[in-house]
Amino acid sequence: KWYERAVKKVEGSFSPAEAKPGQTVTFTLTVELNDGFHTYPTVQTDKAAASMVNAVKFPDPGAVIFVGPTEDGKDAKTKADPDLGITEMRYYEGKATVTRKAVVSPKAAAGPAVVKLAKFQL
């Protein structure tokens, strides 16, 4: 039940919201947290904190084709946890974002498209 207590909202969106086949768009996944909770980036810089990450797996090519790396938000806080041997653990309070570029498939049909992540785990 921690998810219900911790997470206020999760939202995914593309910018621009309307695009033509072949056009590059940016997907943004936003997690809003309730006070007193935190979450992690998709990658930690300190190897000792490598297991403290969010997992996002993007779908196979369809209406959009995800390209390039996943980028975590720039506003991460950091702290050390000497008991775990961690000198710099990155985390987010309040809101966390993840972005990734995508190209609208040349085969995409006109009109709205639904894109579902293959995996999203906090």
Side-chain angles (χ1 to χ4, degrees), residues 59-75:
D60 292 333
V64 297
I65 303 160
F66 287 94
V67 296
T70 300
E71 295 183 17
D72 291 306
K74 306 291 184 219
D75 55 346

Side-chain angles (χ1 to χ4, degrees), residues 44-73:
Q44 292 280 359
T45 54
D46 186 331
K47 289 184 178 47
S51 66
M52 296 174 189
V53 294
N54 291 332
V56 180
K57 183 175 183 208
F58 292 89
D60 292 333
V64 297
I65 303 160
F66 287 94
V67 296
T70 300
E71 295 183 17
D72 291 306

Side-chain angles (χ1 to χ4, degrees), residues 5-113:
R5 290 190 331 266
V7 179
K8 188 181 296 184
K9 181 167 94 171
V10 176
E11 183 176 65
S13 63
F14 286 96
S15 179
E18 294 184 19
K20 296 178 181 179
Q23 187 175 346
T24 300
V25 295
T26 301
F27 174 75
T28 301
L29 178 65
T30 303
V31 177
E32 290 185 34
L33 301 169
N34 290 312
D35 290 341
F37 291 92
H38 66 272
T39 191
Y40 300 105
T42 59
V43 176
Q44 292 280 359
T45 54
D46 186 331
K47 289 184 178 47
S51 66
M52 296 174 189
V53 294
N54 291 332
V56 180
K57 183 175 183 208
F58 292 89
D60 292 333
V64 297
I65 303 160
F66 287 94
V67 296
T70 300
E71 295 183 17
D72 291 306
K74 306 291 184 219
D75 55 346
K77 296 182 179 191
T78 60
K79 68 179 178 179
D81 191 335
D83 293 340
L84 297 176
I86 298 171
T87 56
E88 183 180 276
M89 178 173 55
R90 296 171 49 214
Y91 66 100
Y92 300 92
E93 293 177 336
K95 182 165 61 169
T97 60
V98 173
T99 60
R100 187 168 179 198
K101 298 288 185 188
V103 176
V104 177
S105 173
K107 299 175 185 176

